[in-house]
């Protein structure tokens, strides 16, 4: 099996690592110096069908695994499938579930999936009208791909107005949503048609600072599985994954690939905050180490329409701490020398590279999120202790990390 992973971040490093563990020879476009420790880098634009097709033919690739949403939104999966190439991911229309919040909301309503009440506003007048009637719709979402910067949870209607004005200027339209309360979990299903297999709940920590303070980020750490007594992953999927897959299949637009439901577990049951059409980052960095063996059979099975009969088996806990660059998330600074990567690995952790580069023997910061240090254990505390012990070996000027990843395990 020869696999091509598209992307260059920590999620793609984890995917490559897991595919290699399953016996695949892995290439990554464009990859990174960190990913190059497990997979050969291939130059090219991973959103370009021409570049990817060229690599697939030249390298005799059997399976293509897009990491981020952008290649999928641009139609890479559909274009490659039309050439008879196995790809893990949805076609252009399926990818709109992530690209357009309004489209996702329409599908959720049609499928009867529990989610927040919302209004689509295409100009500021509509924002004013909505907030006059529904002052509680203070979650403002850009209706387009926004690289993690398109959702603002305002404290009140005045804050929502300010956020909406800015996002309408940037993206054209926004969704104003009712604010829901409860613990959040990420639920990722590997899907083909109506069929799906679940990974366990994971939890991401979006805020920059310990105590859930500071600005939103791409994610400062994650852990999996998330113990919860209130509702199981299977129950959530029956309400939030199954009905969407059925609707799409009934409409003659079956979905294939990862479907990520960002869920909030409210007093009235689980509700969908958002869908993504890919694996989460940094959730992938903890989900893949938490399962037995490699994720390869599920990705390859979905790509070929033959999902394994069982879900991946959860055999341990994993917890990841992200070390981020000085200035992240607004203006991350590159160039600081990174020490201690080898010591962290020697301490037993997995170190997935998100924003690094190698100059000879020296590793440097080259992105906002730099590395995700993953500890594993039989229980949650052991995974946490192992992650933090290993992360303490890694040093670079201005490093930022949270002290409280996984401090509260229950929901
Ligand atoms: N961790 C959130 C995301 O991947 O979108």
């Amino acid at each position: 099996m020869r696999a091509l992973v598209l992307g260059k971040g920590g999620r793609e490093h984890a995917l490559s690592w897991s595919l290699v563990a399953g016996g695949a020879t892995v290439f990554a476009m464009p990859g990174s110096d960190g990913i190059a420790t497990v997979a050969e880098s291939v130059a090219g634009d991973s959103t370009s069908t021409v570049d990817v097709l060229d690599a697939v033919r030249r390298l005799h690739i059997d399976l293509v695994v897009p990491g981020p949403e952008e290649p999928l939104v641009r139609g890479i999966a559909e274009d490659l499938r039309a050439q008879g190439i196995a790809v893990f991911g949805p076609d252009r229309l399926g990818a709109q579930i992530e690209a357009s919040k309004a489209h996702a909301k329409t599908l959720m309503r049609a499928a009867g999936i529990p989610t927040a009440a919302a209004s689509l506003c295409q100009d500021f007048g509509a924002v004013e009208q909505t907030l006059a009637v529904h002052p509680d719709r203070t979650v403002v979402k850009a209706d387009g791909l926004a690289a993690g910067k398109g959702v603002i949870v305002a404290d009140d209607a005045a804050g929502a107005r300010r956020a909406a004005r800015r996002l309408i200027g940037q993206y054209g339209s926004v969704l104003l949503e009712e604010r829901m309360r409860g613990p959040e979990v990420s639920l990722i299903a590997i899907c083909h048609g109506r069929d799906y297999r679940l990974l366990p709940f994971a939890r991401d920590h979006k805020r920059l600072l310990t105590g859930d303070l500071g600005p939103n980020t791409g994610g400062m750490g994650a852990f999996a599985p998330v113990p919860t007594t209130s509702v199981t992953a299977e129950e959530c999927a029956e309400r939030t994954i199954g009905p969407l897959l059925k609707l799409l299949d009934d409409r003659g637009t079956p979905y294939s690939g990862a479907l990520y439901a960002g869920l909030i577990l409210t007093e009235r049951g689980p509700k969908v905050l958002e869908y993504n059409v890919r694996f989460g980052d940094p959730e992938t960095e903890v989900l893949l180490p938490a399962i037995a063996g490699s994720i390869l059979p599920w990705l390859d099975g979905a790509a070929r329409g033959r999902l394994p009969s069982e879900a991946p088996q959860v055999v341990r806990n994993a917890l990841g701490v992200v070390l981020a660059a000085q200035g992240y998330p607004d203006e991350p600074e590159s160039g600081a020398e990174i020490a201690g990567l080898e010591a962290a690995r020697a301490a037993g952790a997995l170190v997935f590279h998100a924003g690094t580069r190698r100059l000879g023997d020296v590793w440097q910061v080259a992105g906002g999120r730099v590395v995700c240090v993953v500890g594993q254990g039989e229980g949650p505390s052991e995974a946490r202790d192992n992650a933090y012990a290993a992360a303490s070996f890694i040093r670079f000027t201005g490093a930022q990390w949270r002290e409280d990843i996984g401090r509260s395990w229950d929901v």
Side-chain angles (χ1 to χ4, degrees), residues 40-364:
E40 189 178 318
S41 299
V42 183
D45 173 358
S46 62
T47 66
S48 155
T49 300
V50 173
D51 284 10
V52 175
L53 207 45
D54 175 61
V56 165
R57 293 197 168 129
R58 203 163 26 88
L59 301 168
H60 308 289
I61 296 296
D62 304 299
L63 173 68
V64 178
V65 180
E69 62 281 10
E70 204 186 334
L72 296 165
V73 172
R74 294 224 197 161
I76 208 98
E78 193 169 333
D79 294 349
L80 295 179
R81 269 198 282 271
Q83 302 290 325
I85 296 157
V87 194
F88 177 73
D91 59 17
R92 277 184 186 81
L93 184 61
Q96 281 302 306
I97 295 168
E98 176 163 355
S100 167
K101 306 279 183 215
H103 176 66
K105 202 56 112 176
T106 305
L107 291 176
M108 282 187 257
R109 284 187 188 131
I113 292 170
T115 184
S119 316
L120 178 64
C121 301
Q122 278 157 339
D123 55 44
F124 194 67
V127 170
E128 293 282 22
Q129 280 172 11
T130 300
L131 288 170
V133 182
H134 303 288
D136 61 330
R137 294 201 181 169
T138 55
V139 179
V140 187
K141 294 185 173 177
D143 188 30
L145 287 184
K149 295 187 174 158
V151 179
I152 294 168
V153 181
D155 289 330
D156 52 25
R161 266 186 210 97
R162 279 195 299 278
R165 193 181 283 284
R166 185 161 67 71
L167 292 179
I168 284 177
Q170 281 176 281
Y171 300 97
S173 52
V174 294
L175 219 54
L176 291 188
E177 281 196 2
E178 147 204 31
R179 186 159 177 189
M180 301 183 290
R181 299 196 189 263
E184 294 180 22
V185 288
S186 308
L187 180 60
I188 298 174
I190 299 172
C191 313
H192 187 78
R194 294 175 182 228
D195 212 8
Y196 62 88
R197 305 284 177 266
L198 290 180
L199 287 163
F201 284 139
R203 177 169 300 147
D204 181 12
H205 295 61
K206 302 291 285 182
R207 300 278 190 154
L208 180 69
L209 304 173
T210 299
D212 252 347
L213 300 171
N216 262 331
T217 69
M220 292 298 290
F223 62 89
V226 181
T228 160
T229 48
S230 69
V231 62
T232 65
E234 289 70 21
E235 286 165 341
C236 286
E238 278 164 24
R239 292 182 224 173
T240 62
I241 302 276
L244 181 58
L245 295 179
K246 178 176 180 309
L247 178 78
L248 295 173
D249 198 45
D250 285 346
R251 290 183 173 181
T253 55
Y255 187 91
S256 187
L259 183 61
Y260 165 134
L263 301 176
I264 184 158
L265 307 179
T266 73
E267 283 178 353
R268 296 169 164 230
K271 297 196 180 194
V272 174
L273 290 165
E274 63 171 358
Y275 288 114
N276 295 319
V277 298
R278 50 164 175 84
F279 282 101
D281 192 349
E283 289 94 329
T284 307
E285 289 93 309
V286 293
L287 282 165
L288 300 188
I291 64 170
S294 167
I295 197 69
L296 176 57
W298 286 271
L299 305 194
D300 193 51
R304 294 176 204 283
R306 295 191 299 260
L307 279 177
S309 55
E310 302 292 329
Q313 199 193 344
V314 182
V315 288
R316 60 185 77 83
N317 289 78
L319 183 143
V321 180
V322 168
L323 303 187
Q326 181 159 308
Y328 180 75
D330 294 335
E331 291 183 18
E333 289 175 26
S334 288
E337 188 172 327
I338 309 168
L341 291 169
E342 206 37 62
R345 261 190 299 271
L350 294 160
V351 181
F352 295 120
H353 289 236
T356 66
R357 66 177 166 236
R358 180 146 86 177
L359 299 173
D361 288 340
V362 174
W363 286 94
Q364 285 186 346

